[in-house]
Amino acid sequence: MTADTYTASDGTSWDLTQECPPIPARCFDWNAVEENHEGEPCHAFGETRAACILDIEQRVSERAEETA
């Protein structure tokens, strides 16, 4: 399992992990959880790290629109 941290455009910090399914040829499922989120944790997903980051940024953008 690979793990790292990503700082989103709004300054929030997300823990990214790469989970390898039981099939050895498929090691590409990425998950992210916002580190300092108040209340329920916020999750993002993607088949690649880049796709997961795009999902994070989409969620950050949607949250900004909701609070505007």
Coordinates of all heavy atoms in Angstrom, one line a residue:
M1 N 0.8 -1.2 0.0 CA 0.0 0.0 0.0 C 0.9 1.2 0.0 O 1.9 1.3 0.7 CB -0.9 0.0 1.2 CG -1.8 1.2 1.3 SD -3.1 1.1 2.6 CE -2.2 0.9 4.1
T2 N 0.6 2.2 -0.9 CA 1.3 3.5 -0.9 C 0.4 4.5 -0.3 O -0.8 4.5 -0.4 CB 1.5 3.8 -2.4 OG1 2.2 2.8 -3.1 CG2 2.2 5.1 -2.5
A3 N 1.1 5.4 0.5 CA 0.3 6.5 1.1 C 1.1 7.8 1.0 O 2.3 7.8 1.0 CB 0.1 6.2 2.6
D4 N 0.4 8.9 0.9 CA 1.0 10.2 0.9 C -0.1 11.3 1.2 O -1.2 10.9 1.5 CB 1.7 10.6 -0.4 CG 0.8 10.7 -1.6 OD1 -0.2 11.3 -1.5 OD2 1.3 10.2 -2.7
T5 N 0.3 12.5 1.3 CA -0.6 13.6 1.6 C -0.7 14.6 0.5 O 0.3 14.9 -0.2 CB -0.1 14.3 2.9 OG1 0.0 13.4 3.9 CG2 -1.1 15.4 3.3
Y6 N -1.9 15.1 0.2 CA -2.1 16.1 -0.8 C -2.8 17.3 -0.2 O -3.7 17.2 0.6 CB -3.0 15.6 -1.9 CG -3.4 16.6 -2.9 CD1 -2.6 17.1 -3.9 CD2 -4.7 17.1 -2.9 CE1 -2.9 18.0 -4.8 CE2 -5.1 18.1 -3.8 CZ -4.2 18.5 -4.8 OH -4.6 19.5 -5.7
T7 N -2.3 18.5 -0.5 CA -2.9 19.8 0.0 C -3.7 20.3 -1.2 O -3.2 20.7 -2.2 CB -1.8 20.8 0.4 OG1 -1.0 20.2 1.5 CG2 -2.5 22.1 1.0
A8 N -5.1 20.4 -0.9 CA -6.0 20.9 -1.9 C -5.9 22.4 -2.1 O -5.2 23.1 -1.3 CB -7.4 20.5 -1.5
S9 N -6.5 22.9 -3.2 CA -6.4 24.3 -3.5 C -7.0 25.2 -2.4 O -6.7 26.4 -2.3 CB -7.1 24.6 -4.8 OG -8.5 24.2 -4.7
D10 N -7.9 24.7 -1.5 CA -8.4 25.5 -0.4 C -7.6 25.4 0.8 O -8.0 25.9 1.9 CB -9.9 25.1 -0.2 CG -10.0 23.7 0.4 OD1 -9.1 22.9 0.4 OD2 -11.1 23.4 0.9
G11 N -6.5 24.7 0.8 CA -5.6 24.5 1.9 C -5.9 23.3 2.8 O -5.1 23.1 3.7
T12 N -6.9 22.5 2.5 CA -7.2 21.4 3.3 C -6.2 20.3 3.0 O -5.7 20.2 1.9 CB -8.6 20.8 3.1 OG1 -8.8 20.6 1.7 CG2 -9.7 21.8 3.6
S13 N -5.9 19.4 3.9 CA -5.0 18.3 3.8 C -5.7 17.0 3.7 O -6.6 16.7 4.4 CB -4.0 18.3 5.0 OG -3.0 17.4 4.8
W14 N -5.3 16.2 2.7 CA -6.0 14.9 2.4 C -4.9 13.8 2.5 O -3.8 13.9 2.0 CB -6.6 14.9 1.0 CG -7.7 15.9 0.8 CD1 -7.6 17.3 0.8 CD2 -9.1 15.6 0.7 NE1 -8.9 17.8 0.6 CE2 -9.8 16.8 0.5 CE3 -9.8 14.4 0.6 CZ2 -11.2 16.8 0.4 CZ3 -11.2 14.4 0.5 CH2 -11.8 15.6 0.3
D15 N -5.3 12.7 3.1 CA -4.5 11.5 3.2 C -4.9 10.6 2.0 O -6.0 10.2 1.9 CB -4.7 10.7 4.5 CG -4.1 11.4 5.7 OD1 -3.0 12.1 5.5 OD2 -4.6 11.3 6.8
L16 N -3.9 10.4 1.1 CA -4.1 9.5 -0.1 C -3.5 8.1 0.2 O -2.4 8.0 0.7 CB -3.5 10.1 -1.3 CG -4.3 11.3 -1.9 CD1 -3.7 12.5 -1.4 CD2 -4.1 11.2 -3.4
T17 N -4.2 7.1 -0.2 CA -3.7 5.7 -0.1 C -4.0 5.0 -1.3 O -5.1 5.1 -1.9 CB -4.3 4.9 1.1 OG1 -5.7 4.9 1.0 CG2 -3.9 5.6 2.4
Q18 N -3.1 4.1 -1.8 CA -3.3 3.3 -2.9 C -3.5 1.9 -2.4 O -2.7 1.3 -1.7 CB -2.0 3.3 -3.8 CG -2.2 2.5 -5.0 CD -1.0 2.4 -5.9 OE1 0.2 2.6 -5.4 NE2 -1.1 2.3 -7.2
E19 N -4.7 1.4 -2.7 CA -5.1 0.0 -2.2 C -5.0 -0.9 -3.4 O -5.5 -0.7 -4.4 CB -6.5 0.1 -1.7 CG -6.8 1.2 -0.7 CD -6.9 0.7 0.7 OE1 -7.1 -0.5 0.9 OE2 -6.7 1.5 1.6
C20 N -4.2 -2.0 -3.2 CA -4.1 -3.0 -4.2 C -5.1 -4.1 -4.0 O -5.0 -4.8 -3.0 CB -2.7 -3.6 -4.2 SG -1.4 -2.4 -4.6
P21 N -6.0 -4.2 -5.0 CA -7.0 -5.3 -4.9 C -6.3 -6.7 -4.9 O -5.1 -6.8 -5.3 CB -7.9 -5.1 -6.1 CG -7.6 -3.8 -6.6 CD -6.2 -3.4 -6.1
P22 N -7.0 -7.8 -4.6 CA -6.4 -9.1 -4.6 C -5.8 -9.5 -6.0 O -4.9 -10.4 -6.0 CB -7.5 -10.0 -4.2 CG -8.6 -9.2 -3.8 CD -8.4 -7.8 -4.2
I23 N -6.2 -8.9 -7.1 CA -5.7 -9.3 -8.4 C -4.4 -8.5 -8.6 O -4.4 -7.3 -8.6 CB -6.7 -8.9 -9.5 CG1 -8.1 -9.5 -9.2 CG2 -6.2 -9.3 -10.9 CD1 -9.2 -9.0 -10.1
P24 N -3.3 -9.2 -8.6 CA -2.0 -8.5 -8.7 C -1.8 -7.5 -9.8 O -1.1 -6.5 -9.7 CB -1.0 -9.7 -8.8 CG -1.7 -10.9 -8.4 CD -3.1 -10.7 -8.6
A25 N -2.4 -7.8 -11.0 CA -2.3 -6.9 -12.1 C -3.0 -5.6 -11.9 O -2.8 -4.6 -12.7 CB -2.7 -7.6 -13.4
R26 N -3.9 -5.5 -10.9 CA -4.7 -4.3 -10.7 C -4.3 -3.6 -9.4 O -4.9 -3.8 -8.4 CB -6.2 -4.6 -10.6 CG -6.8 -5.1 -11.9 CD -8.3 -5.2 -11.8 NE -8.9 -4.0 -11.5 CZ -9.8 -3.8 -10.6 NH1 -10.3 -4.9 -9.9 NH2 -10.3 -2.6 -10.3
C27 N -3.3 -2.7 -9.5 CA -2.9 -2.0 -8.3 C -3.1 -0.5 -8.6 O -2.1 0.2 -8.9 CB -1.4 -2.3 -8.0 SG -0.9 -1.6 -6.4
F28 N -4.3 0.0 -8.7 CA -4.5 1.3 -9.1 C -5.7 2.0 -8.5 O -6.2 3.0 -8.9 CB -4.7 1.4 -10.6 CG -5.8 0.6 -11.2 CD1 -7.1 0.9 -11.0 CD2 -5.5 -0.6 -11.9 CE1 -8.1 0.1 -11.5 CE2 -6.5 -1.4 -12.3 CZ -7.8 -1.1 -12.2
D29 N -6.2 1.5 -7.4 CA -7.4 2.1 -6.8 C -6.9 3.0 -5.6 O -6.3 2.6 -4.7 CB -8.3 1.1 -6.2 CG -8.9 0.2 -7.2 OD1 -9.2 0.7 -8.3 OD2 -9.2 -1.0 -7.0
W30 N -7.1 4.3 -5.8 CA -6.7 5.4 -4.8 C -7.9 5.9 -4.1 O -9.0 6.1 -4.6 CB -6.0 6.5 -5.6 CG -4.7 6.2 -6.0 CD1 -4.3 5.5 -7.2 CD2 -3.4 6.5 -5.4 NE1 -3.0 5.4 -7.2 CE2 -2.4 6.0 -6.2 CE3 -3.1 7.2 -4.2 CZ2 -1.1 6.1 -5.8 CZ3 -1.8 7.3 -3.9 CH2 -0.8 6.8 -4.7
N31 N -7.7 6.1 -2.8 CA -8.7 6.7 -1.9 C -8.1 7.8 -1.1 O -6.9 7.9 -0.9 CB -9.2 5.6 -0.8 CG -9.7 4.4 -1.5 OD1 -10.7 4.4 -2.2 ND2 -9.1 3.3 -1.2
A32 N -8.9 8.8 -0.8 CA -8.4 10.0 0.0 C -9.5 10.3 1.1 O -10.7 10.2 0.8 CB -8.2 11.2 -0.9
V33 N -9.0 10.7 2.2 CA -9.8 11.2 3.3 C -9.2 12.5 3.8 O -8.0 12.7 4.0 CB -9.8 10.2 4.5 CG1 -10.6 10.7 5.6 CG2 -10.3 8.8 4.0
E34 N -10.1 13.5 3.9 CA -9.7 14.8 4.4 C -9.3 14.7 5.8 O -10.0 14.2 6.7 CB -10.8 15.8 4.2 CG -10.4 17.2 4.5 CD -11.5 18.2 4.3 OE1 -12.6 17.9 3.9 OE2 -11.3 19.4 4.6
E35 N -8.1 15.2 6.2 CA -7.5 15.0 7.5 C -8.2 15.8 8.6 O -8.5 15.3 9.6 CB -6.0 15.5 7.5 CG -5.1 14.5 6.9 CD -3.7 15.0 6.9 OE1 -3.4 16.1 7.3 OE2 -2.8 14.1 6.7
N36 N -8.5 17.1 8.3 CA -9.0 18.0 9.4 C -10.5 18.4 9.2 O -10.9 19.4 9.6 CB -8.2 19.3 9.4 CG -6.7 19.0 9.8 OD1 -6.5 18.2 10.6 ND2 -5.8 19.6 9.1
H37 N -11.2 17.5 8.5 CA -12.6 17.9 8.3 C -13.5 17.8 9.6 O -13.4 16.8 10.3 CB -13.2 16.9 7.2 CG -14.6 17.2 6.8 ND1 -14.9 18.3 6.0 CD2 -15.8 16.6 7.0 CE1 -16.2 18.4 5.8 NE2 -16.7 17.3 6.4
E38 N -14.3 18.8 9.8 CA -15.2 18.8 11.0 C -16.4 17.9 10.7 O -16.9 18.0 9.6 CB -15.6 20.2 11.3 CG -14.5 21.2 11.6 CD -13.9 20.8 12.9 OE1 -14.5 20.3 13.8 OE2 -12.6 21.1 13.0
G39 N -16.8 17.1 11.6 CA -17.9 16.2 11.4 C -17.6 15.0 10.7 O -16.6 14.3 11.0
E40 N -18.4 14.7 9.7 CA -18.2 13.4 8.9 C -16.9 13.6 8.0 O -16.7 14.6 7.4 CB -19.4 13.2 8.0 CG -20.6 12.8 8.8 CD -20.5 11.5 9.5 OE1 -20.0 10.5 9.0 OE2 -20.9 11.5 10.7
P41 N -16.1 12.5 7.9 CA -15.0 12.6 7.0 C -15.4 12.7 5.6 O -16.5 12.2 5.2 CB -14.2 11.3 7.3 CG -15.2 10.4 7.9 CD -16.3 11.2 8.6
C42 N -14.6 13.4 4.8 CA -14.9 13.6 3.3 C -14.0 12.7 2.6 O -12.8 12.6 2.8 CB -14.7 15.0 2.9 SG -15.2 15.4 1.3
H43 N -14.5 11.9 1.7 CA -13.8 10.9 0.9 C -13.7 11.3 -0.6 O -14.6 11.9 -1.1 CB -14.4 9.5 1.0 CG -14.4 9.0 2.4 ND1 -13.4 8.3 3.0 CD2 -15.3 9.1 3.4 CE1 -13.7 8.0 4.2 NE2 -14.8 8.4 4.5
A44 N -12.6 10.9 -1.2 CA -12.5 11.0 -2.7 C -11.9 9.7 -3.2 O -11.2 9.0 -2.5 CB -11.6 12.2 -3.0
F45 N -12.1 9.4 -4.5 CA -11.7 8.2 -5.1 C -11.2 8.4 -6.5 O -11.5 9.3 -7.2 CB -12.8 7.2 -5.1 CG -13.5 6.9 -3.8 CD1 -14.6 7.6 -3.4 CD2 -12.9 6.1 -2.9 CE1 -15.2 7.5 -2.2 CE2 -13.5 5.9 -1.6 CZ -14.7 6.6 -1.3
G46 N -10.3 7.5 -7.0 CA -9.9 7.5 -8.4 C -9.1 6.2 -8.7 O -8.5 5.6 -7.8
E47 N -9.1 5.9 -10.0 CA -8.3 4.7 -10.4 C -6.8 5.0 -10.4 O -6.0 4.1 -10.3 CB -8.7 4.3 -11.8 CG -10.1 3.7 -11.9 CD -10.4 3.1 -13.2 OE1 -9.6 3.2 -14.2 OE2 -11.4 2.4 -13.3
T48 N -6.4 6.3 -10.5 CA -5.0 6.7 -10.4 C -4.9 7.8 -9.4 O -5.9 8.4 -9.0 CB -4.5 7.3 -11.8 OG1 -5.3 8.5 -12.1 CG2 -4.7 6.2 -12.9
R49 N -3.7 8.2 -9.0 CA -3.5 9.2 -8.0 C -4.0 10.5 -8.6 O -4.7 11.3 -7.9 CB -2.0 9.4 -7.7 CG -1.7 10.4 -6.6 CD -0.2 10.5 -6.3 NE 0.0 11.4 -5.2 CZ 0.1 12.7 -5.2 NH1 -0.1 13.3 -6.4 NH2 0.3 13.4 -4.2
A50 N -3.7 10.8 -9.9 CA -4.2 12.0 -10.6 C -5.7 12.1 -10.6 O -6.3 13.2 -10.4 CB -3.6 12.1 -12.0
A51 N -6.4 11.0 -10.9 CA -7.8 11.0 -10.9 C -8.4 11.2 -9.5 O -9.4 11.9 -9.3 CB -8.4 9.6 -11.4
C52 N -7.8 10.7 -8.5 CA -8.2 11.0 -7.1 C -8.0 12.4 -6.7 O -8.9 13.0 -6.1 CB -7.4 10.1 -6.1 SG -8.0 10.1 -4.5
I53 N -6.9 13.1 -7.2 CA -6.7 14.5 -6.9 C -7.8 15.3 -7.6 O -8.3 16.3 -7.1 CB -5.3 14.9 -7.3 CG1 -4.3 14.3 -6.2 CG2 -5.2 16.4 -7.4 CD1 -2.9 14.5 -6.6
L54 N -8.1 14.9 -8.8 CA -9.2 15.6 -9.6 C -10.5 15.5 -8.8 O -11.3 16.5 -8.7 CB -9.4 15.1 -11.0 CG -8.3 15.5 -12.0 CD1 -8.5 14.7 -13.3 CD2 -8.3 17.0 -12.2
D55 N -10.8 14.4 -8.2 CA -12.0 14.2 -7.4 C -12.0 15.1 -6.2 O -13.0 15.7 -5.8 CB -12.2 12.7 -7.1 CG -13.6 12.4 -6.5 OD1 -14.6 13.1 -6.8 OD2 -13.7 11.5 -5.7
I56 N -10.8 15.2 -5.5 CA -10.7 16.0 -4.4 C -11.0 17.5 -4.8 O -11.8 18.1 -4.1 CB -9.2 15.9 -3.8 CG1 -9.0 14.6 -3.2 CG2 -9.0 17.1 -2.8 CD1 -7.5 14.3 -2.8
E57 N -10.4 17.9 -5.8 CA -10.6 19.3 -6.2 C -12.0 19.6 -6.6 O -12.6 20.7 -6.4 CB -9.6 19.7 -7.4 CG -8.2 19.8 -7.0 CD -7.9 20.8 -5.9 OE1 -8.7 21.8 -5.7 OE2 -6.9 20.7 -5.2
Q58 N -12.7 18.6 -7.2 CA -14.1 18.8 -7.5 C -14.9 18.9 -6.2 O -15.8 19.8 -6.1 CB -14.6 17.6 -8.4 CG -16.1 17.7 -8.7 CD -16.6 16.6 -9.6 OE1 -15.8 15.7 -9.9 NE2 -17.8 16.6 -9.9
R59 N -14.6 18.1 -5.3 CA -15.4 18.2 -4.0 C -15.1 19.5 -3.3 O -16.0 20.1 -2.7 CB -15.0 17.0 -3.1 CG -15.5 15.7 -3.7 CD -14.9 14.5 -3.0 NE -15.2 13.3 -3.7 CZ -16.3 12.5 -3.5 NH1 -17.2 12.9 -2.7 NH2 -16.5 11.5 -4.2
V60 N -13.8 20.0 -3.3 CA -13.5 21.3 -2.7 C -14.3 22.4 -3.4 O -14.8 23.3 -2.8 CB -12.0 21.5 -2.8 CG1 -11.6 22.9 -2.6 CG2 -11.2 20.6 -1.9
S61 N -14.3 22.3 -4.7 CA -15.1 23.3 -5.5 C -16.6 23.3 -5.2 O -17.2 24.4 -5.0 CB -14.9 23.1 -7.0 OG -15.6 24.0 -7.8
E62 N -17.1 22.1 -5.1 CA -18.6 22.0 -4.7 C -18.8 22.6 -3.4 O -19.8 23.3 -3.1 CB -19.0 20.6 -4.8 CG -19.1 20.0 -6.3 CD -19.3 18.5 -6.3 OE1 -19.4 17.9 -5.3 OE2 -19.4 18.0 -7.5
R63 N -17.9 22.3 -2.4 CA -18.1 22.8 -1.1 C -18.0 24.3 -1.0 O -18.8 25.0 -0.3 CB -17.1 22.2 -0.1 CG -17.3 22.5 1.3 CD -16.5 21.7 2.3 NE -15.1 21.4 1.8 CZ -14.4 20.4 2.4 NH1 -14.9 19.7 3.4 NH2 -13.2 20.1 1.9
A64 N -17.1 24.9 -1.8 CA -17.0 26.4 -1.9 C -18.2 27.0 -2.5 O -18.7 28.0 -2.0 CB -15.8 26.7 -2.7
E65 N -18.8 26.3 -3.5 CA -20.1 26.9 -4.1 C -21.2 26.8 -3.1 O -22.1 27.7 -3.0 CB -20.4 26.1 -5.3 CG -19.5 26.3 -6.5 CD -19.8 25.4 -7.7 OE1 -20.8 24.7 -7.6 OE2 -19.0 25.5 -8.6
E66 N -21.3 25.8 -2.2 CA -22.3 25.6 -1.3 C -22.3 26.7 -0.2 O -23.3 27.1 0.4 CB -22.3 24.2 -0.6 CG -22.7 23.1 -1.5 CD -22.4 21.7 -0.9 OE1 -22.0 21.6 0.3 OE2 -22.7 20.7 -1.6
T67 N -21.0 27.1 0.2 CA -20.9 28.1 1.3 C -20.8 29.5 0.8 O -20.8 30.4 1.6 CB -19.6 27.8 2.0 OG1 -18.5 27.8 1.2 CG2 -19.7 26.4 2.7
A68 N -20.9 29.7 -0.6 CA -20.8 31.0 -1.1 C -22.2 31.7 -1.1 O -23.2 31.2 -1.0 CB -20.3 31.0 -2.6

